[in-house]
Amino acid sequence: MKDQVWVKNSDIGSQACAPGVERKVLAFTDGLMCVENHFMEGARGAVHHHPHTQITYVVSGQFEFQIAGEKRIVNPGDSMLKKDGVEHGCVCLKEGILLDIFTPMREEFL
């Protein structure tokens, strides 16, 4: 699906990536990737880092994010920038969806 111009969400299956977390890889090319993450309440995105710059947009729900050691509560409409190599993770406080944009794309997600 790389370089696909039209990507219909309902045609994409989700992948379990952690307990209570499912991922859908949406449109992507070598330099950019869009990923939708569905979190159940209480699910965690483990603290980690990677060599990709990432922007996360909160579509729905409520999350406690930790970025570079700082914790904050985020809500729908909020977004966060995580530059490459910065440690980050989250806990889902209210069931929701996060939209992640990565540059370059995350080959390990395919």
Side-chain angles (χ1 to χ4, degrees), residues 12-101:
I12 299 170
S14 60
Q15 309 166 9
C17 54
V21 183
E22 292 193 357
R23 169 191 306 139
K24 282 187 170 189
V25 175
L26 305 176
F28 69 96
T29 189
D30 287 332
L32 192 63
M33 176 180 268
C34 184
V35 178
E36 183 180 273
N37 300 285
H38 293 248
F39 281 77
M40 300 298 294
E41 188 171 316
R44 296 178 176 271
V47 175
H48 66 287
H49 62 88
H50 43 72
H52 308 82
T53 295
Q54 174 181 355
I55 291 176
T56 298
Y57 176 80
V58 182
V59 176
S60 63
Q62 185 178 58
F63 297 82
E64 179 185 70
F65 261 86
Q66 174 180 325
I67 302 172
E70 181 180 353
K71 289 184 179 181
R72 291 196 185 185
I73 305 295
V74 295
N75 295 288
D78 294 341
S79 60
M80 295 137 289
L81 171 65
K82 294 161 265 177
K83 292 189 176 184
D84 60 316
V86 172
E87 284 198 338
H88 58 279
C90 70
V91 176
C92 181
L93 303 176
K94 293 181 185 173
E95 182 176 349
I97 297 172
L98 299 175
L99 189 67
D100 286 327
I101 308 296

